[in-house]
Each structure stands twice: as structure tokens, then as C-alpha cells.
Amino acid sequence: GEDVEQSLFLSVREGDSSVINCTYTDSSSTYLYWYKQEPGAGLQLLTYIFSNMDMKQDQRLTVLLNKKDKHLSLRIADTQTGDSAIYFCAEDDNAGNMLTFGGGTRLMVKP
Amino acid sequence: KAGVTQTPRYLIKTRGQQVTLSCSPISGHRSVSWYQQTPGQGLQFLFEYFSETQRNKGNFPGRFSGRQFSNSRSEMNVSTLELGDSALYLCASSSLGRGLTDTQYFGPGTRLTVL
């Protein structure tokens, strides 16, 4: 079955880069996503990557995809205190509109 | 464009009751998906509706049901509530449900507490 795994917690200092990692199992996924959730809020789509891409950059965000190892990472450059949140990676099921989410990584940014 | 809206934002019910949650998708979006978020199980897919038809269903008991109206608004219903149904229920909409730019946009969620 599908399973998406993430580390639970990451702490960085303001101005440093953050790297959040994710492993997935469904090799048929078309897209892989990163969502951000702030306290009391819903999920905000940060970025997504098509499964035939290796890298995607969007301003401070860089997504790397290693299909062979089924490993996805999100790098946030120049991390700010406002980046403190829970980050979820997700894969789609390639058949409909169903996402399977990882357990989320709580990013804490210290000033 | 207005985002995905969910009502109510907070709800308190007791065991055995039933509850109906509402979701209005982004204008023009025809697919609505529902997810349950709990500390123990994380984010889990409930079901997806497209053009008033349930197209996809997750692994939840029959107490969880939903429907979609002709204007794409969706409701989900949980009958005979259990304590374990306490969760944040998130709704997401997308334009077609599949394809290159069919990313899902989430609402703020309805937090349901079952006492």
C-alpha cells in the first residue's frame, strides 16, 4: 500500500537553510506536493513537482525528487520565523483526486 | 477569487448525534475532496465528488457520507458520532480532479469535537 514518511521535527536558526525530507512508496504518482499548515489553519499549497522532473525552484523553495530512491525534499533558503509551521508532503494516486499525506514535519525557526 | 470556505468552523457534539459539514469550493472548481486530520492518524482521505458523483472513497465506515450539489458545493455527514470522530475536517477543491494544473486548494477546516 501507499505510505509517505517524514521526520517529525526540524529546528533551524533564522537565515539558515531548512531541508525537509520525505519518502514515498507509490511509484505511479503523477505529482508530489508540499503543503504548509500554520496553527489553526488549513493547508496551504507551497509547490508541487511533476514526477518526471528532478528539481523545481520557486523563489526560496527548491524541491528535489529522486525517483530511484523515492525520496523528495523541500529546501527553504534564508528561513524566516514566519516559516515556522508544519510541512506535509503528499503524493497523488494517479487515478483520481486523492492525496496520501506524510505525517508532517514541524519546522521551528529560532531568531 | 474567493478561496474554499467551510462552515461551521467549530462544532461541538455529543456521542450518538449526527453532524453535517459544508464546503463551498473555489468558483469554477468541480471537484471537492474531504480529509480528516487527527493527531494520531494524520491526514486521511475520506471521499471525492465530481459533478455530483462520488468518484473516490477512502477507508472510512459507512457512518461517513457526503454529497455534492449542482453548484459544486458539498456536504459531508457523520452519523452516530463517536469520540474518535473528533478531528479537523478539511475540504479541498480543484478544477477538474486530474491533470497538469489540478492542484488541490484547501479550506480552513471545521474542527469537530465529540464529547
Side-chain angles (χ1 to χ4, degrees):
Chain A
E2 299 166 354
D3 197 14
V4 180
E5 295 188 353
Q6 302 177 238
S7 52
L8 286 177
F9 188 76
L10 176 65
S11 178
V12 300
R13 293 218 171 269
E14 192 174 19
D16 288 348
S17 292
S18 307
V19 179
I20 303 172
N21 295 301
C22 171
T23 58
Y24 63 98
T25 57
D26 188 357
S27 58
S28 67
S29 295
T30 305
Y31 295 99
L32 296 139
Y33 302 85
W34 284 104
Y35 283 88
K36 175 184 179 182
Q37 187 176 38
E38 295 181 89
L43 298 174
Q44 174 194 350
L45 176 67
L46 284 178
T47 186
Y48 62 92
I49 187 167
F50 192 45
S51 59
N52 70 353
M53 295 171 64
D54 298 325
M55 185 182 90
K56 179 180 179 181
Q57 187 151 2
D58 184 1
Q59 299 182 336
R60 292 191 298 122
L61 305 178
T62 303
V63 179
L64 295 177
L65 175 60
N66 181 329
K67 284 196 73 175
K68 175 175 169 290
D69 295 337
K70 296 190 179 70
H71 183 266
L72 181 73
S73 68
L74 173 70
R75 179 177 181 270
I76 305 173
D78 187 26
T79 313
Q80 303 297 307
T81 54
D83 295 324
S84 293
I86 301 177
Y87 291 80
F88 292 91
C89 64
E91 60 181 0
D92 70 13
D93 69 342
N94 196 34
N97 213 18
M98 182 181 89
L99 296 178
T100 299
F101 286 88
T105 299
R106 183 179 295 275
L107 174 65
M108 177 180 290
V109 183
K110 298 178 181 178
Chain B
K1 276 187 180 176
V4 178
T5 58
Q6 292 186 245
T7 57
R9 291 293 311 279
Y10 302 92
L11 207 47
I12 299 175
K13 292 285 188 179
T14 56
R15 277 181 300 175
Q17 287 187 308
Q18 72 159 18
V19 67
T20 299
L21 312 182
S22 180
C23 171
S24 292
I26 292 170
S27 177
H29 284 191
R30 294 167 63 188
S31 169
V32 174
S33 300
W34 289 89
Y35 293 82
Q36 181 197 64
Q37 186 178 26
T38 60
Q41 299 298 318
L43 279 153
Q44 293 185 289
F45 173 79
L46 279 156
F47 28 66
E48 184 232 353
Y49 286 86
F50 181 78
S51 292
E52 302 178 65
T53 300
Q54 187 182 87
R55 191 164 60 174
N56 229 339
K57 189 176 191 305
N59 190 25
F60 278 82
R63 300 186 296 108
F64 292 81
S65 63
R67 59 178 176 168
Q68 187 180 34
F69 301 95
S70 58
N71 61 359
S72 294
R73 189 178 71 86
S74 176
E75 289 181 348
M76 69 164 280
N77 183 276
V78 188
S79 62
T80 319
L81 283 166
E82 300 177 0
L83 294 179
D85 297 333
S86 294
L88 181 66
Y89 289 89
L90 292 163
C91 160
S93 78
S94 65
S95 57
L96 293 175
R98 59 186 83 222
L100 180 63
T101 57
D102 268 341
T103 51
Q104 292 190 45
Y105 296 90
F106 282 81
T110 294
R111 183 162 297 282
L112 171 65
T113 301
V114 182
L115 303 176

